[in-house]
Amino acid sequence: MTPLYLDCNATTPVDPVVVDAMMPWFREQFGNPHSVNHTFGTDAAAAVEDARRSIARLVGADAREIIFTSGATESNNLAIKGAARFERRMRGRRNRIITVASEHKCVLESVKALEAEGFATDVLPVGTDGTVETERLARALDDDVILVSVMAANNEIGTLQPLADIGAMTRACGALFHCDGAQAAGRIPLDVNTAAIDLMSLSGHKVYGPKGIGVLYVRRRPRARIEPLFSGGGQERTLRSGTVPAPLAIGFGKAADLAAPRQVEEATRLDTLARALINGLPGVSLNGPPLDSRLPGNLNLLIEGVDAGHLISRVPELAFSTGSACTSAVVEPSYVLRAIGLTPGQAASSIRLGIGRFTTSDDIAFANERLTHAINRCRREA
């Protein structure tokens, strides 16, 4: 592949097995899964339900708790806004949302939008490794909290949050626990019951499936209540209207089936490749948690004395980034890196590398050689 792709936290290539599973549903079996009067529709519906079960198994859920959406951004919006608005309309007892400063942009913007609607919000700081301070969260929790939103794994720095601790504290105070699991699903084991998660967002294209499809897990017992974002036919348990794109849902299901049995083996392989990639890189340090306690395959590197944008332009044969793809149009330094204490200059000297399923040891050797050369060249030119 030219250039060599090292941005798997932004998106992953679709696994060829997933492509093969989807193709018949674009061509011969193109029925609307909500058309129940003929076999085109009922066959599509049955395949979608199989996919729903596969995705549910990946996170320890029941298939009836899986709602198809267009992706994790929609799922995050639906979970956070839906929970807050349901509480206000139906109960009116609670009024506060809690999240964390290093969350995905769509979570922070959803919380900000609720603040404009009159909800109280708390955005908690994180430590230098990106982990939320559970003691501080415990102090913030009370009977006014509707929902706590904390991601499983950070998309920029790979921080793995203590989900079970957060879930236990949140449930004890009677609030809902929402988790953005898009980066973590398929890379580390996730179980919504073990972690007492009430709402979880997932995305197909982060797990070697297609873009344009995601899910929201919505707990049935004890029931998590949310309002839909928009009106329509109520196809997905009345919570998400619109025709489910059968080929994409089926692709996501196949991707989940592929990911589930290989998580441990793949995590070990990605860790080995990550260590090889940064071995010997000159004047480089790791942002966020250490390699043995971060999301497998994620590297965020501070390269002292080198502008990240300049470095990227010097290695066109490698595809990597400075941070989240969802804020790539923003010029200022990463808010996630600022949240863990980096200066603007340090954040501007940081790059993100994402290693994935199809990255080989030869790829890593090539990337290490090209990065070393480019870093040294940038420093000479500075």
Side-chain angles (χ1 to χ4, degrees):
M1 188 180 296
T2 304
L4 172 61
Y5 188 72
L6 294 172
D7 204 14
C8 284
N9 297 114
T11 192
T12 55
V14 182
D15 193 296
V17 177
V18 172
V19 174
D20 290 342
M22 289 192 295
M23 289 313 296
W25 301 95
F26 283 114
R27 292 173 174 164
E28 300 89 11
Q29 297 166 285
F30 51 81
N32 184 326
H34 311 293
S35 297
V36 297
N37 296 315
H38 49 71
T39 57
F40 285 92
T42 55
D43 287 351
V48 166
E49 292 310 306
D50 284 343
R52 199 187 304 272
R53 285 188 284 271
S54 294
I55 297 164
R57 283 194 296 269
L58 186 63
V59 295
D62 184 277
R64 293 171 294 177
E65 299 172 310
I66 298 298
I67 305 299
F68 282 109
T69 69
S70 64
T73 290
E74 183 188 339
S75 296
N76 286 336
N77 274 263
L78 175 57
I80 296 167
K81 294 174 182 176
R85 291 169 182 167
F86 181 89
E87 172 67 22
R88 172 169 285 179
R89 184 174 68 88
M90 299 300 295
R91 299 190 183 107
R93 297 191 299 265
R94 296 171 180 248
N95 193 56
R96 196 152 57 94
I97 310 295
I98 297 176
T99 191
V100 176
S102 57
E103 287 297 300
H104 192 279
K105 198 70 169 178
C106 67
V107 168
L108 295 175
E109 290 298 316
S110 293
V111 172
K112 184 178 178 181
L114 289 175
E115 189 174 48
E117 294 179 20
F119 291 92
T121 63
D122 285 339
V123 181
L124 302 181
V126 293
T128 56
D129 64 352
T131 305
V132 64
E133 299 174 11
T134 52
E135 297 84 359
R136 187 158 188 164
L137 174 59
R139 292 195 299 271
L141 286 167
D142 58 27
D143 60 7
D144 192 40
V145 176
I146 301 168
L147 174 138
V148 174
S149 183
V150 180
M151 69 194 337
N154 188 271
N155 53 305
E156 289 196 37
I157 58 174
T159 301
L160 303 178
Q161 298 288 0
L163 299 184
D165 293 341
I166 296 168
M169 288 188 294
T170 302
R171 181 162 293 180
C173 87
L176 295 174
F177 177 26
H178 166 250
C179 179
D180 179 349
Q183 288 290 332
R187 291 186 180 236
I188 62 171
L190 290 176
D191 190 294
V192 293
N193 295 302
T194 300
I197 294 168
D198 299 295
L199 300 158
M200 177 179 274
S201 306
L202 304 175
S203 185
H205 77 103
K206 303 291 188 179
V207 65
Y208 305 93
K211 297 174 181 65
I213 190 74
V215 302
L216 178 64
Y217 157 78
V218 183
R219 178 175 291 281
R220 296 182 74 243
R221 294 188 178 90
R223 197 170 191 84
R225 295 285 195 175
I226 61 174
E227 282 198 355
L229 284 180
F230 47 81
S231 303
Q235 284 89 341
E236 286 293 283
R237 312 294 198 263
T238 76
L239 295 177
R240 202 280 183 174
S241 295
T243 301
V244 171
L248 303 184
I250 291 161
F252 193 176
K254 176 58 72 173
D257 282 338
L258 293 175
R262 62 175 74 177
Q263 286 179 107
V264 174
E265 177 186 351
E266 188 145 295
T268 300
R269 190 184 74 87
L270 293 177
D271 180 69
T272 300
L273 293 177
R275 292 177 189 277
L277 179 53
I278 62 174
N279 183 39
L281 289 180
V284 168
S285 57
L286 196 61
N287 294 323
L291 280 177
D292 58 3
S293 58
R294 70 192 289 136
L295 182 68
N298 171 278
L299 291 169
N300 196 296
L301 304 177
L302 169 59
I303 307 172
E304 292 286 358
V306 173
D307 177 78
H310 189 207
L311 176 64
I312 290 172
S313 71
R314 286 285 182 261
V315 274
E317 59 270 40
L318 303 180
F320 60 100
S321 66
T322 58
S324 172
C326 296
T327 53
S328 60
V330 179
V331 176
E332 67 257 21
S334 161
Y335 69 90
V336 173
L337 297 182
R338 297 300 309 281
I340 64 171
L342 269 66
T343 66
Q346 289 173 323
S349 294
S350 296
I351 62 171
R352 181 182 67 173
L353 300 160
I355 304 165
R357 178 177 298 170
F358 303 110
T359 311
T360 68
S361 56
D362 286 343
D363 292 335
I364 294 299
F366 174 74
N368 180 282
E369 186 273 328
R370 298 312 301 155
L371 280 172
T372 298
H373 176 79
I375 290 168
N376 288 332
R377 180 180 176 187
C378 287
R379 286 186 175 134
R380 287 194 303 269
E381 294 172 349

